[in-house]
Amino acid sequence: FVEDERTPRPRLVHRLDKDTSGALLVAPAPTLAVAAPGVPTTLTPLPEAEVRAAPPGASFVILTHDHALDFLIAAEALSRRDAAWVGMIGSHSKRASFARHAARAGVDPAPLVCPIAATAPRDKRPEIIAAFAAAEIMAALITHARVPA
């Protein structure tokens, strides 16, 4: 997929530690530029295919700016029923909207964590929200890694 410079769109799947954690981060293309060296990344027009290809027990972090794309990816991740964790940035109203969408699609929205870091102290600074979100995601991955299958 090559982005048209006039109409950049968030269509990125960024895999974190594919061979170890199975975590998938879905975010806009500029995120690739800040990926740590050695972290495998994939730019794709079909992120839901990457969700389907993730290993059993994978975790999914959805960070796009496109609600329709978020809903597509979240529904795909939740449909797997073997995801360790599925989280999406957003608001309580976005979660309610997704729950209606999921119900129409026959997907249980209950396992979805949205908004990510909702239980953290309220703060509007993006870097603080990101730190709380990262802490929540890491705690979920560590907890899942400790639970025997």
Side-chain angles (χ1 to χ4, degrees):
F1 177 78
V2 177
E3 288 189 21
D4 178 343
E5 291 179 359
R6 294 167 298 178
T7 57
R9 295 180 207 119
R11 295 215 170 129
L12 159 73
V13 174
H14 175 175
R15 250 189 195 171
L16 299 175
D17 302 323
K18 178 180 174 186
D19 297 326
T20 55
S21 72
L24 211 68
L25 170 67
V26 183
T31 302
L32 278 176
V34 297
V39 173
T41 59
T42 303
L43 184 62
T44 178
L46 300 171
E48 67 276 18
E50 293 292 324
V51 170
R52 282 185 223 116
S59 295
F60 302 91
V61 184
I62 305 162
L63 306 170
T64 82
H65 296 286
D66 181 325
H67 281 48
L69 182 59
D70 290 348
F71 290 3
L72 171 73
I73 296 164
E76 191 69 42
L78 293 169
S79 293
R80 290 177 50 120
R81 300 182 189 213
D82 68 350
W85 189 84
V86 180
M88 181 167 61
I89 59 167
S91 61
H92 293 288
S93 62
K94 181 177 181 180
R95 179 181 178 63
S97 181
F98 175 75
R100 289 189 298 276
H101 168 79
R104 286 191 301 271
V107 174
D108 179 10
L112 177 67
V113 176
C114 178
I116 296 171
T119 60
R122 294 185 59 105
D123 198 301
K124 294 291 186 183
R125 294 171 291 176
E127 63 275 14
I128 301 300
I129 296 167
F132 286 137
E136 180 177 324
I137 293 163
M138 292 306 300
L141 294 174
I142 291 167
T143 299
H144 178 73
R146 291 182 182 163
V147 174

